[in-house]
Amino acid sequence: MTSTHDLVAARSRLLGPSLSVSYRTPLHIVRGEGAYLYDADGRAYLDCVNNVAHVGHAHPRVVEAGVAQMRLLNTNTRYLHELVLRYAERLTALLRHDLEICYFVNSGSEANELALRLARTATGRPDVATVEVAYHGNTQRLIEISPYKFAGPGGAGKRPDVHVVPLPDGYRGRHRGADRSTAESYLAEAREVLAVAVATGHAPGAVIAEAIPSVAGQVVPPDGWLPGLFDIGRAVGAVPIADEVQVGFGRVGVDWWAFGPQGAVPDIVTMGKPIGNGHPLGAVVTTRAIADAFANGMEYFNTFGGNPVSAAIGLAVLDVVEEEGLRERARVTGERLLAGLRELADRHEAIGDARGIGLFLGLELVRDRATREPDPELARELANRAAERGVLLSTDGPFHNVMKIKPPLVFSDADATLLVETVDAILTEMAPMAARGGETSIASG
Ligand code: PMP
């Protein structure tokens, strides 16, 4: 068997150097099942991070659906085929009645790229309004509208055709709290940003947002923020786009879509990651009016988008979510897990905030609860030590101090207990170091 050392060396020899690897000791994962990953030595790791393996790693129903269809046929959408139509019917049935037209693509990035093209063609305007610290994908235009990238290392800065509204972070942002008045404060600033855009001849054709900003640190916006943002966009003629790539497909438990509970009304919804449970699949769903405007004579062709194998897999994912009651499970397990994390926050000074909805949770680590000074070293060390104990977590947020928790929805009560106990044990063993100040920054990768 190839050693970890050899694999790391081969990666750096063969793969693009702008690719990172997780954990101080990189893991050589060779198999997955349910909420668990297994390394080459057979050691099990509880996966608390992978929201792509939505219904569980290597779910047999999903695998069989893909294999059976691959045995029969895989081809493009220029032939008639029932599966893609059945899939479009199932997907649109989960959305507001006028979100009725589907485009199938191969990734979240492709979905967002197409969403921007739809909005641009429908409005004739290239400008885009986006949220601070957002990430929407890896194409050139998506990097240009993703502050997480263009304002980060290697980024080229904000372009004049991009308009950034503030991140509605009720824990650490300029306006604190979870209620409507906090939302209104953020919305007043967003209104101002768009007013300036309009006044300078840059009225946006799209406003894109996640219902729970993810790479910004699992930020749960104050009540009314997302519908308010979409209304502000609509008022200046921008098409509201809900990016459900991270948060969609029942993860929030109470709804199929994270924008649902907030009462937001997008005209385009983009989907990726969990939609295919690991198979490369994405979708854009929109209104007839936007789709008709996009049909301006230029064909939209996507070689793999909507192929029967992907449709069979997408259908199987929906079947499993429904038949195994995974939305309800996300709600119940998520509530229990959040209660456990909040109980930890009562005992560990280093936890500034525990938040989230369903199985999309965040744990924000701070050096000082009063000043809320972020503690990225503790976050990184917690992720490394948890991995050494067989529990996989990762960090995010603009200060890299938020532990992301977004496991496969098959995550059980016992898994939630293991996660809470592991975090508890590590924070307990690190507390004396944290109290002495700064010594948590043990070198890590
Ligand atoms: N939107 C969001 C919110 C994302 O987090 C990501 C990926 N992390 C994307 C879009 C792009 O998805 P992909 O990497 O599958 O193209």
Side-chain angles (χ1 to χ4, degrees):
M1 192 200 314
T2 318
S3 73
T4 299
H5 176 270
D6 291 346
L7 288 171
V8 169
R11 251 172 91 99
S12 50
R13 190 162 41 83
L14 296 166
L15 304 185
S18 49
L19 182 65
S20 64
V21 64
S22 297
Y23 307 115
R24 182 161 51 209
T25 309
L27 302 179
H28 180 192
I29 299 296
V30 295
R31 187 170 76 81
E33 187 179 342
Y36 283 81
L37 291 172
Y38 297 85
D39 73 10
D41 297 323
R43 182 171 181 207
Y45 294 84
L46 176 60
D47 184 352
C48 304
V49 182
N50 195 332
N51 57 343
V52 174
H54 195 56
V55 300
H57 288 280
H59 193 293
R61 274 283 289 280
V62 178
V63 173
E64 283 314 312
V67 169
Q69 186 55 43
M70 280 177 83
R71 279 206 187 95
L72 272 178
L73 169 77
N74 201 15
T75 183
N76 67 52
T77 40
R78 286 206 182 110
Y79 298 102
L80 303 180
H81 203 281
E82 273 179 27
L83 278 181
V84 68
L85 301 174
R86 218 189 297 155
Y87 186 41
E89 268 174 354
R90 285 283 296 281
L91 259 192
T92 53
L94 302 174
L95 288 154
R96 205 177 73 224
H97 71 281
D98 60 331
L99 291 170
E100 56 189 329
I101 306 292
C102 295
Y103 298 85
F104 292 108
V105 295
N106 308 287
S107 68
S109 295
E110 265 200 317
N112 282 331
E113 180 70 28
L114 176 59
L116 294 184
R117 284 187 60 197
L118 289 167
R120 184 170 178 159
T121 309
T123 63
R125 302 191 202 157
D127 282 60
V128 175
T130 187
V131 180
E132 197 185 355
V133 205
Y135 176 66
H136 294 294
N138 58 30
T139 68
Q140 180 63 40
R141 185 58 178 155
L142 292 173
I143 296 298
E144 289 170 2
I145 65 139
S146 295
Y148 183 75
K149 291 290 186 191
F150 73 64
K158 190 183 86 60
R159 289 167 50 98
D161 59 1
V162 175
H163 310 282
V164 181
V165 306
L167 175 71
D169 182 346
Y171 172 71
R172 126 173 351 273
R174 260 193 305 283
H175 312 291
R176 296 188 175 172
D179 59 10
R180 285 194 170 264
S181 72
T182 310
E184 202 32 66
S185 303
Y186 284 109
L187 291 173
E189 294 180 357
R191 220 172 270 118
E192 188 57 36
V193 170
L194 294 206
V196 171
V198 172
T200 53
H202 278 282
V207 52
I208 184 166
E210 288 181 278
I212 311 173
S214 51
V215 298
Q218 315 283 98
V219 171
V220 180
D223 275 354
W225 174 78
L226 190 64
L229 180 67
F230 284 173
D231 285 349
I232 290 168
R234 239 188 216 107
V236 300
V239 175
I241 303 171
D243 179 340
E244 289 276 326
V245 168
Q246 289 265 4
V247 290
F249 289 91
R251 175 159 295 278
V252 296
V254 290
D255 203 309
W256 274 95
W257 312 106
F259 66 78
Q262 297 186 32
V265 185
D267 284 343
I268 300 180
V269 179
T270 59
M271 307 167 190
K273 292 189 190 271
I275 189 174
N277 210 54
H279 177 80
L281 176 57
V284 181
V285 186
T286 190
T287 62
R288 167 65 65 191
I290 289 174
D292 283 349
F294 190 60
N296 61 0
M298 181 193 291
E299 184 181 11
Y300 178 74
F301 178 65
N302 189 316
T303 301
F304 300 116
N307 72 71
V309 170
S310 297
I313 287 173
L315 278 164
V317 171
L318 295 180
D319 286 343
V320 174
V321 173
E322 280 169 0
E323 288 167 25
E324 295 187 10
L326 294 182
R327 260 184 62 198
E328 178 62 6
R329 183 143 165 189
R331 186 182 71 73
V332 173
T333 316
E335 272 175 15
R336 199 177 154 272
L337 178 54
L338 184 57
L341 296 172
R342 290 201 161 134
E343 194 273 327
L344 284 187
D346 290 340
R347 290 187 288 110
H348 293 283
E349 280 291 310
I351 300 177
D353 193 30
R355 56 177 174 253
I357 304 172
L359 281 173
F360 200 73
L361 304 171
L363 198 63
E364 176 142 5
L365 302 180
V366 291
R367 291 212 171 88
D368 179 325
R369 272 199 185 168
T371 63
R372 305 188 178 187
E373 185 191 346
D375 197 342
E377 289 83 9
L378 178 62
R380 194 173 48 196
E381 187 61 20
L382 174 57
N384 276 317
R385 291 195 189 194
E388 283 154 20
R389 289 169 180 255
V391 173
L392 303 181
L393 286 166
S394 71
T395 62
D396 224 322
F399 306 102
H400 313 289
N401 68 321
V402 180
M403 312 307 300
K404 293 192 282 199
I405 301 167
K406 47 188 183 83
L409 301 192
V410 290
F411 207 70
S412 68
D413 273 357
D415 297 332
T417 302
L418 175 60
L419 168 58
V420 169
E421 286 177 355
T422 302
V423 172
D424 191 14
I426 295 170
L427 291 181
T428 302
E429 83 192 11
M430 293 184 69
M433 290 185 261
R436 286 200 300 276
E439 289 178 41
T440 52
S441 54
I442 294 164
S444 58

